[in-house]
Amino acid sequence: MKLIFTCALSMLITALSGQNIYSKTFGNKSNPALIFLHGGPGYNCANFELTTAQKLADEGYYVIVYDRRGEGRSKDDKAKFNFEETFSDLNTIYKQYGIKQAGLIGHSFGGIVATLFAEKFPKKISTVILVGAPVNLQETFLSILDASKKLYIEKQDTMNLKYIGMIEKMDPKSMMYASYCFGHAMQNGFYSPKNRSEEAKQLYTSLVKDSSGHHAMEMSIQAPQGFLANEKYTSIDLTSNIKNLVAKKMKIFALYGKEDGLYSAKQVEQTASLLGKGNLLYIENCSHSVFIDQQAEFVAVLKKWMKY
């Protein structure tokens, strides 16, 4: 039986510049640190926090989750929504919990944050693990539209084909274009596998039943609008950033679900070629939330990569 301190759970509302950053830790502080960076912009860490963080702590990691400033439970009406502020807050998380080096798990937009932070602060990183993360957002939007169009053609859905045609005429770097693309991705089930495993069904059920589970369904509009205005996030392309990290021998890996409708197989192949042989896992019966859809495989490969 494990001593109780090895799976100790703590929660902290961290005061940063007079505002509150929601954060929570799992596991023994003496274990290797993992920091989860959630998706969005405008989302939060609840889906990982309530399904996977304790599982990794049980496997011997010190896991930290937090909601970015102005997102989720980290309310801040004065949030700037830029990478400078984002990195400053992440550095404060390191300091608050006494962490000198950590592995970063970057989910979706969190993968962008992880990549850029690792490039700027390489000594603070042990490993970067991208999970369903976009490398080139403009290619991602095109992939969503292409996949949606194929579905609508199969269904002879002329109304939605008309809408796709209208979206294709919009400014591809605009918030409206991005919102409509993600809207069609959600409408067409691109974020979920067609047939969830029994493990995934149980995890999603527990997430819904948890008293904090409602946070997993919450999203704000201020963050995406802010990151668009300040960082032009809808046109971010991480290709050169990843090449730079690989050239500097940074340990960087990626996981994608084969049923993640945000990315084509070609995009995943391109990312695999950037990272190098064996550094990307493409998982069957799995979509965007790899750590829920195929949790056992996610944990196993993360443990493997953390030991490299």
Side-chain angles (χ1 to χ4, degrees):
M1 184 175 181
K2 293 183 180 179
L3 294 176
I4 192 166
F5 68 80
T6 62
C7 59
L9 174 65
S10 65
M11 182 173 72
L12 183 65
I13 303 297
T14 309
L16 300 177
S17 302
Q19 298 297 331
N20 292 327
I21 296 294
Y22 173 89
S23 64
K24 194 170 185 176
T25 67
F26 299 77
N28 190 334
K29 192 173 182 178
S30 65
N31 289 337
L34 287 170
I35 301 176
F36 178 73
L37 306 176
H38 65 78
Y43 198 41
N44 59 74
C45 67
N47 61 348
F48 182 88
E49 171 190 341
L50 299 174
T51 63
T52 310
Q54 185 60 55
K55 178 69 175 178
L56 288 175
D58 293 342
E59 294 293 332
Y61 297 100
Y62 182 52
V63 183
I64 301 97
V65 302
Y66 76 102
D67 292 350
R68 282 187 299 271
R69 183 185 295 273
E71 302 181 52
R73 291 153 289 184
S74 297
K75 306 297 183 184
D76 185 352
D77 293 337
K78 297 180 180 179
K80 296 177 181 177
F81 300 117
N82 59 38
F83 289 126
E84 181 181 0
E85 181 179 71
T86 300
F87 297 161
S88 176
D89 288 347
L90 181 49
N91 274 320
T92 302
I93 292 291
Y94 271 80
K95 183 177 180 180
Q96 181 70 39
Y97 292 108
I99 300 167
K100 292 183 178 180
Q101 193 174 65
L104 299 183
I105 304 172
H107 180 225
S108 200
F109 178 76
I112 294 174
V113 175
T115 301
L116 298 179
F117 184 86
E119 196 171 30
K120 189 165 182 141
F121 303 98
K123 292 183 179 180
K124 293 191 172 186
I125 309 300
S126 61
T127 309
V128 174
I129 298 175
L130 307 177
V131 183
V135 172
N136 183 318
L137 271 161
Q138 287 294 301
E139 287 186 2
T140 294
F141 296 139
L142 290 174
S143 178
I144 292 170
L145 292 178
D146 183 61
S148 296
K149 188 184 295 185
K150 288 177 180 177
L151 282 176
Y152 298 145
I153 290 173
E154 288 176 8
K155 296 177 181 178
Q156 297 183 349
D157 187 341
T158 56
M159 182 61 72
N160 272 307
L161 282 171
K162 181 180 178 181
Y163 288 145
I164 293 295
M166 293 169 64
I167 295 169
E168 289 174 330
K169 295 177 182 178
M170 293 179 179
D171 176 0
K173 296 179 181 179
S174 68
M175 190 74 257
M176 187 172 291
Y177 177 87
S179 297
Y180 280 130
C181 286
F182 287 134
H184 280 277
M186 187 171 293
Q187 176 176 297
N188 292 317
F190 289 175
Y191 289 94
S192 303
K194 293 180 178 65
N195 297 298
R196 287 176 175 165
S197 67
E198 287 304 314
E199 176 191 46
K201 287 178 183 177
Q202 292 175 13
L203 288 169
Y204 279 109
T205 297
S206 67
L207 177 61
V208 171
K209 289 184 176 180
D210 193 283
S211 60
S212 298
H214 63 95
H215 292 299
M217 301 301 293
E218 296 172 354
M219 191 163 184
S220 68
I221 191 63
Q222 291 83 5
Q225 288 177 336
F227 274 102
L228 175 62
N230 300 320
E231 302 291 356
K232 297 180 173 56
Y233 95 93
T234 60
S235 56
I236 285 177
D237 182 352
L238 296 177
T239 302
S240 61
N241 308 87
I242 291 175
K243 285 182 178 179
N244 181 44
L245 290 175
V246 170
K248 293 182 177 179
K249 308 299 182 184
M250 173 69 70
K251 294 195 296 180
I252 179 168
F253 307 92
L255 298 101
Y256 291 89
K258 289 191 176 181
E259 292 186 52
D260 189 340
L262 274 63
Y263 312 110
S264 66
K266 182 180 178 181
Q267 283 178 278
V268 176
E269 288 172 10
Q270 290 171 339
T271 302
S273 67
L274 287 174
L275 297 176
K277 187 176 181 181
N279 291 348
L280 184 145
L281 185 63
Y282 202 20
I283 306 176
E284 298 278 359
N285 194 26
C286 180
S287 186
H288 197 57
S289 296
V290 179
F291 47 86
I292 302 179
D293 294 341
Q294 292 294 339
Q295 187 178 88
E297 196 162 2
F298 169 82
V299 171
V301 75
L302 183 144
K303 289 173 64 179
K304 174 185 173 183
W305 285 339
M306 285 291 288
K307 291 177 181 177
Y308 277 11

